[in-house]
Coordinates of all heavy atoms in Angstrom, one line a residue:
F18 N 67.9 114.3 57.3 CA 67.4 115.1 56.2 C 65.9 114.9 56.1 O 65.4 113.8 56.0 CB 68.1 114.8 54.9 CG 69.6 115.0 54.9 CD1 70.4 114.0 55.4 CD2 70.2 116.2 54.5 CE1 71.8 114.2 55.5 CE2 71.5 116.4 54.5 CZ 72.4 115.4 55.0
M19 N 65.1 116.0 55.9 CA 63.7 116.0 55.9 C 63.2 116.1 54.4 O 63.7 117.0 53.7 CB 63.1 117.1 56.7 CG 63.7 117.3 58.1 SD 63.5 115.8 59.2 CE 64.5 116.3 60.5
A20 N 62.2 115.4 54.1 CA 61.5 115.5 52.8 C 60.0 115.7 53.0 O 59.4 114.8 53.6 CB 61.7 114.2 51.9
G21 N 59.5 116.8 52.6 CA 58.1 117.2 52.9 C 58.0 117.8 54.3 O 59.0 118.0 55.0
Q22 N 56.8 118.2 54.7 CA 56.6 118.7 56.0 C 56.7 117.5 57.0 O 55.9 116.6 56.9 CB 55.2 119.4 56.1 CG 55.0 120.5 55.1 CD 55.8 121.7 55.4 OE1 55.9 122.1 56.6 NE2 56.5 122.3 54.4
V23 N 57.6 117.6 57.9 CA 57.8 116.5 58.9 C 57.4 116.8 60.3 O 57.7 117.9 60.8 CB 59.3 116.1 58.9 CG1 59.6 115.1 60.0 CG2 59.8 115.6 57.5
Q24 N 56.5 115.9 60.8 CA 56.1 116.0 62.2 C 56.8 114.9 62.9 O 56.4 113.8 63.0 CB 54.6 115.9 62.3 CG 53.8 117.1 61.8 CD 52.3 117.0 62.1 OE1 51.8 115.9 62.1 NE2 51.7 118.1 62.2
M25 N 58.0 115.2 63.5 CA 58.8 114.2 64.2 C 58.3 114.0 65.6 O 58.0 114.9 66.3 CB 60.3 114.7 64.3 CG 61.2 113.7 64.9 SD 62.9 114.3 65.2 CE 63.5 114.5 63.5
R26 N 58.0 112.7 65.9 CA 57.6 112.3 67.3 C 58.6 111.3 67.7 O 58.4 110.1 67.3 CB 56.2 111.8 67.3 CG 55.2 112.8 66.7 CD 55.1 114.1 67.6 NE 54.1 115.0 67.1 CZ 54.4 116.1 66.4 NH1 55.6 116.3 66.0 NH2 53.4 117.0 66.0
T27 N 59.6 111.6 68.4 CA 60.8 110.7 68.6 C 61.0 110.4 70.0 O 60.6 111.2 70.9 CB 62.1 111.4 68.0 OG1 63.1 110.4 68.0 CG2 62.5 112.6 68.8
L28 N 61.5 109.2 70.3 CA 61.7 108.8 71.7 C 63.2 108.7 71.9 O 64.0 108.2 71.1 CB 61.1 107.4 71.9 CG 59.6 107.2 71.6 CD1 59.2 105.8 71.7 CD2 58.8 108.1 72.5
F29 N 63.7 109.1 73.1 CA 65.0 108.9 73.6 C 65.0 108.0 74.8 O 64.3 108.3 75.8 CB 65.6 110.3 73.9 CG 65.8 111.2 72.8 CD1 64.8 112.1 72.5 CD2 66.9 111.1 71.9 CE1 64.9 113.0 71.4 CE2 67.0 112.0 70.8 CZ 66.0 112.9 70.6
I30 N 65.7 106.9 74.6 CA 65.6 105.8 75.6 C 66.9 105.5 76.3 O 67.9 105.4 75.7 CB 65.1 104.5 74.8 CG1 63.7 104.7 74.2 CG2 65.0 103.3 75.8 CD1 63.3 103.6 73.2
D31 N 66.8 105.5 77.6 CA 68.0 105.2 78.4 C 68.7 103.9 77.9 O 68.0 102.9 77.6 CB 67.6 105.0 79.9 CG 68.8 104.8 80.8 OD1 69.4 105.8 81.2 OD2 69.1 103.7 81.1
A32 N 70.0 104.0 77.8 CA 70.8 102.9 77.3 C 70.5 101.6 78.0 O 70.5 100.5 77.4 CB 72.3 103.2 77.3
G33 N 70.3 101.7 79.3 CA 70.1 100.5 80.1 C 68.7 99.9 79.9 O 68.5 98.7 80.2
A34 N 67.8 100.6 79.3 CA 66.4 100.1 79.1 C 66.2 99.7 77.6 O 65.2 99.2 77.3 CB 65.4 101.2 79.4
A35 N 67.2 99.9 76.8 CA 67.1 99.6 75.3 C 67.0 98.0 75.1 O 67.7 97.3 75.8 CB 68.2 100.1 74.6
P36 N 66.1 97.6 74.2 CA 66.0 96.2 73.9 C 67.4 95.6 73.5 O 68.0 96.2 72.6 CB 65.0 96.1 72.8 CG 64.2 97.3 72.9 CD 65.1 98.4 73.5
V37 N 67.8 94.5 74.0 CA 69.1 93.9 73.7 C 69.2 93.5 72.3 O 70.3 93.4 71.7 CB 69.4 92.8 74.7 CG1 69.6 93.3 76.1 CG2 68.4 91.7 74.6
S38 N 68.1 93.2 71.6 CA 68.1 92.7 70.2 C 68.4 93.8 69.3 O 68.8 93.5 68.1 CB 66.8 92.1 69.9 OG 65.7 93.1 70.0
L39 N 68.4 95.1 69.7 CA 68.6 96.2 68.8 C 70.0 96.8 69.0 O 70.2 97.7 69.8 CB 67.5 97.3 69.0 CG 66.1 96.8 68.7 CD1 65.1 97.9 69.0 CD2 66.0 96.4 67.2
D40 N 71.0 96.2 68.4 CA 72.4 96.6 68.6 C 73.0 97.4 67.5 O 74.1 97.8 67.5 CB 73.3 95.4 68.9 CG 73.2 94.4 67.8 OD1 72.5 94.6 66.8 OD2 73.9 93.4 67.9
G41 N 72.1 97.8 66.5 CA 72.6 98.6 65.4 C 71.4 99.4 64.8 O 70.3 99.1 65.1
C42 N 71.7 100.4 63.9 CA 70.7 101.1 63.3 C 69.8 100.2 62.4 O 70.4 99.3 61.7 CB 71.3 102.2 62.4 SG 72.0 103.6 63.4
C43 N 68.5 100.4 62.4 CA 67.6 99.6 61.6 C 66.3 100.2 61.5 O 65.9 101.0 62.4 CB 67.5 98.1 62.2 SG 66.8 98.1 63.8
V44 N 65.6 100.0 60.4 CA 64.3 100.5 60.2 C 63.3 99.5 60.7 O 63.4 98.3 60.4 CB 64.0 100.8 58.7 CG1 62.6 101.3 58.5 CG2 65.0 101.9 58.2
L45 N 62.3 100.0 61.4 CA 61.3 99.1 62.1 C 59.9 99.6 61.7 O 59.6 100.8 61.5 CB 61.4 99.2 63.6 CG 62.8 98.8 64.2 CD1 62.9 99.2 65.6 CD2 63.0 97.3 64.0
A46 N 59.0 98.6 61.4 CA 57.6 98.9 61.1 C 56.8 99.2 62.3 O 56.8 98.4 63.2 CB 57.0 97.7 60.4
V47 N 56.3 100.4 62.4 CA 55.6 100.9 63.6 C 54.2 100.3 63.6 O 53.4 100.5 62.6 CB 55.6 102.4 63.7 CG1 54.8 102.9 64.8 CG2 57.0 102.9 63.7
S48 N 53.8 99.6 64.6 CA 52.5 99.0 64.7 C 51.5 100.1 65.1 O 51.9 101.2 65.7 CB 52.4 98.0 65.8 OG 52.7 98.5 67.1
P49 N 50.2 100.0 64.8 CA 49.2 101.0 65.2 C 49.2 101.3 66.7 O 49.0 102.4 67.1 CB 47.9 100.4 64.7 CG 48.2 99.5 63.6 CD 49.6 98.9 64.0
L50 N 49.4 100.2 67.5 CA 49.4 100.4 68.9 C 50.6 101.3 69.3 O 50.4 102.2 70.1 CB 49.5 99.0 69.6 CG 49.7 99.1 71.2 CD1 48.6 99.9 71.8 CD2 49.8 97.7 71.7
L51 N 51.8 101.0 68.8 CA 52.9 101.8 69.1 C 52.8 103.2 68.7 O 53.2 104.1 69.4 CB 54.2 101.2 68.5 CG 55.5 101.9 68.9 CD1 55.7 102.0 70.4 CD2 56.7 101.2 68.2
R52 N 52.2 103.4 67.5 CA 52.0 104.8 67.1 C 51.2 105.6 68.1 O 51.5 106.7 68.4 CB 51.3 104.8 65.7 CG 50.8 106.1 65.2 CD 49.9 105.9 64.0 NE 49.1 107.1 63.8 CZ 47.9 107.2 64.3 NH1 47.4 106.3 65.1 NH2 47.2 108.3 64.1
E53 N 50.1 105.0 68.6 CA 49.3 105.7 69.5 C 50.0 105.9 70.9 O 49.8 106.9 71.5 CB 48.0 104.9 69.8 CG 47.1 104.8 68.5 CD 46.6 106.2 68.0 OE1 46.4 107.1 68.9 OE2 46.5 106.3 66.8
L54 N 50.8 104.9 71.3 CA 51.6 105.0 72.5 C 52.6 106.1 72.4 O 52.8 106.9 73.4 CB 52.3 103.7 72.8 CG 51.4 102.6 73.3 CD1 52.2 101.2 73.3 CD2 50.8 102.9 74.7
I55 N 53.2 106.3 71.2 CA 54.2 107.4 71.0 C 53.5 108.7 71.2 O 54.0 109.6 71.9 CB 54.9 107.3 69.7 CG1 55.8 106.0 69.6 CG2 55.7 108.5 69.4 CD1 56.3 105.7 68.2
L56 N 52.4 108.9 70.5 CA 51.6 110.1 70.6 C 51.2 110.4 72.0 O 51.2 111.6 72.5 CB 50.4 110.1 69.6 CG 50.8 109.9 68.2 CD1 49.5 109.9 67.3 CD2 51.7 111.0 67.7
R57 N 50.8 109.4 72.7 CA 50.4 109.5 74.1 C 51.6 109.9 75.0 O 51.5 110.8 75.9 CB 49.7 108.3 74.6 CG 49.1 108.4 76.1 CD 48.1 109.5 76.1 NE 47.5 109.5 77.4 CZ 46.9 110.6 77.9 NH1 47.0 111.8 77.2 NH2 46.4 110.6 79.1
A58 N 52.7 109.3 74.7 CA 53.9 109.6 75.5 C 54.3 111.1 75.3 O 54.8 111.7 76.3 CB 55.1 108.7 75.1
V59 N 54.1 111.6 74.1 CA 54.4 113.0 73.9 C 53.5 113.9 74.7 O 53.9 114.9 75.4 CB 54.2 113.4 72.4 CG1 54.3 114.9 72.2 CG2 55.4 112.7 71.6
Q60 N 52.2 113.6 74.8 CA 51.2 114.3 75.6 C 51.6 114.3 77.1 O 51.5 115.3 77.8 CB 49.8 113.8 75.4 CG 49.3 114.0 74.0 CD 47.9 113.3 73.8 OE1 47.6 112.3 74.6 NE2 47.1 113.8 72.9
L61 N 52.0 113.1 77.5 CA 52.3 112.9 79.0 C 53.5 113.7 79.4 O 53.7 113.9 80.6 CB 52.4 111.5 79.3 CG 51.1 110.6 79.2 CD1 51.4 109.2 79.4 CD2 50.2 111.1 80.3
E62 N 54.4 114.1 78.5 CA 55.6 114.9 78.8 C 55.2 116.2 79.5 O 55.9 116.8 80.3 CB 56.5 115.1 77.6 CG 57.2 113.9 77.1 CD 58.3 113.5 78.0 OE1 59.0 114.3 78.6 OE2 58.6 112.2 78.0

């Protein structure tokens, strides 16, 4: 569900490449570096 104007920049990760520590839904604090990497990954698509 969206609240406000949402600019979704989402990643879909192969199950075999997913970090083993993340075995359930959880909220994660996005670092400034990761934010820039996500935006760059979108461009590279």
Side-chain angles (χ1 to χ4, degrees):
F18 298 85
M19 313 299 170
Q22 302 290 315
V23 171
Q24 290 185 330
M25 183 188 292
R26 303 296 181 261
T27 190
L28 304 175
F29 296 94
I30 299 169
D31 182 85
V37 294
S38 59
L39 298 176
D40 57 359
C42 292
C43 57
V44 176
L45 301 167
V47 177
S48 65
L50 173 57
L51 181 57
R52 170 186 161 274
E53 296 300 326
L54 287 170
I55 292 169
L56 300 181
R57 185 59 176 153
V59 170
Q60 293 175 335
L61 290 171
E62 289 288 327

